[in-house]
Amino acid sequence: MSEIEAISVSGEAADCFNTAANYISEDAQIRRLRYHLLRLHPSAGLTDKDVAELGELGRLIFTVGPTAELTAKIVNRADASPLAVTIATTVEAGTSRWATDPKAVLLGFVLGAYLSLNALGNASSSSPEVAFAATTGAVAGALATSASGFVMENIKQTTLNDYLDMREE
């Protein structure tokens, strides 16, 4: 990759970040999970049914209710979007791996999917590119959310100078 291509890619990445951050800020000010989900409908491929079921999944997660039955319902629904299936099937995996708060992991999934909103331009919400970008962003957001606490705890087990030391061991 040439220097010019690298600058272009980094500029596009910054644009995607800024667009997603702006949408997150707007939707967070409304203080309703519904609006985060509606932002992804239909631009990131969520259907009306996905929004309703993911909203219920969010309610169960935030109130510490059982989620297995609803997760199975979403996964087994033939018309569920790839993003809805990804969120439903993996939110618990992200919490159990590092004992992370499931609310944070759910939000990591939903807010990570915002990355697709700028990256796709005029692509159809039913296109494979939209599904790929939305699910990749969602997984990246949830992974970063769920793993960051674990990594921060590991950093505390050494000196900061050791952690930041870039020399080979």
Side-chain angles (χ1 to χ4, degrees):
M1 177 181 298
S2 74
E3 186 176 331
I4 292 173
E5 289 172 321
I7 291 170
S8 175
V9 168
S10 67
E12 289 174 26
D15 288 346
C16 289
F17 175 87
N18 288 328
T19 297
N22 289 338
Y23 287 145
I24 289 167
S25 294
E26 285 177 22
D27 295 346
Q29 289 175 7
I30 300 171
R31 296 185 183 95
R32 299 248 170 115
L33 175 61
R34 169 183 164 76
Y35 289 97
H36 292 297
L37 296 171
L38 286 175
R39 177 72 72 176
L40 301 172
H41 167 281
S43 58
L46 289 185
T47 66
D48 291 337
K49 187 79 170 164
D50 294 334
V51 168
E53 289 178 345
L54 290 173
E56 177 61 14
L57 183 65
R59 187 189 67 74
L60 292 171
I61 289 169
F62 273 80
T63 61
V64 194
T67 59
E69 187 176 314
L70 181 56
T71 296
K73 181 180 177 182
I74 294 168
V75 171
N76 293 321
R77 188 166 44 85
D79 63 342
S81 71
L83 179 57
V85 171
T86 298
I87 292 170
T89 58
T90 55
V91 72
E92 290 181 44
T95 61
S96 62
R97 175 92 190 228
W98 294 297
T100 305
D101 180 355
K103 297 181 291 283
V105 177
L106 172 67
L107 290 174
F109 270 110
V110 172
L111 301 177
Y114 277 48
L115 181 62
S116 68
L117 299 176
N118 189 53
L120 297 169
N122 295 324
S124 163
S125 65
S126 62
S127 74
E129 294 84 7
V130 168
F132 179 77
T135 55
T136 301
V139 170
L143 179 61
T145 299
S146 63
S148 63
F150 171 74
V151 172
M152 293 301 287
E153 283 303 312
N154 279 309
I155 291 169
K156 290 178 185 177
Q157 296 176 23
T158 188
T159 67
L160 188 57
N161 285 339
D162 282 347
Y163 180 74
L164 298 174
D165 188 349
M166 298 302 289
R167 296 175 291 170
E168 290 281 330
E169 284 289 316

